[in-house]
Amino acid sequence: MRIAVTYENGQIFQHFGRTEQFKVYDVEDGEVVSSEVVGTDGRGHGELINVLRELDVKVLICGGLGGGARNGLAMSGVEVCSGNEGDADAAVSAYVSGTLAKCSDPTCNHHGEDHVCTCGKH
């Protein structure tokens, strides 16, 4: 299974549509067996769904994302774990162990200067 995390300097980047990198993890038998940082080549928002599709990602861990991205990812068969922050590697470990907290309504209002996630975690 492949897991991607919106990524910046070891941390979960907080805005899916503006992420410039994903850290992609390969997981086998409940263990991370490899990982790599992949650039988005300047693509943003809806194009990022295609990046994840090309990478054969099945799970996305991120901070916030809008409803359009959430729907597009769902239609692509990608499980979304949004409303997260902090260390990317730790979040993947928590996901693999089944302890990653999931936000019940993790959408973003990113059309102003302030980035707000409705789950209230950041």
Side-chain angles (χ1 to χ4, degrees):
M1 168 177 48
R2 293 197 105 188
I3 300 172
V5 180
T6 51
Y7 189 77
E8 183 178 62
N9 298 321
Q11 301 293 304
I12 299 169
F13 186 72
Q14 291 301 298
H15 184 132
F16 171 78
R18 293 185 183 159
T19 194
E20 294 181 6
Q21 297 177 318
F22 291 105
K23 187 165 183 182
V24 180
Y25 302 78
D26 289 304
V27 177
E28 295 176 8
D29 299 320
E31 298 283 328
V32 174
V33 295
S34 66
S35 66
E36 66 177 317
V37 176
V38 177
T40 62
D41 296 324
R43 298 194 270 180
H45 289 92
E47 281 293 310
L48 294 175
I49 296 168
N50 292 328
V51 171
L52 296 176
R53 192 178 298 137
E54 291 164 7
L55 293 169
D56 196 30
V57 167
K58 301 300 180 201
V59 177
L60 170 68
I61 298 172
C62 62
L65 78 164
R70 174 172 293 288
N71 292 338
L73 289 162
M75 288 173 39
S76 295
V78 176
E79 176 187 355
V80 176
C81 300
S82 56
N84 291 287
E85 60 187 350
D87 184 78
D89 293 345
V92 170
S93 293
Y95 178 86
V96 170
S97 69
T99 60
L100 183 67
K102 296 182 184 176
C103 186
S104 62
D105 186 21
T107 57
C108 283
N109 174 5
H110 56 271
H111 298 286
E113 285 198 24
D114 295 325
H115 174 85
V116 178
C117 178
T118 60
C119 73
K121 289 178 67 175
H122 24 261

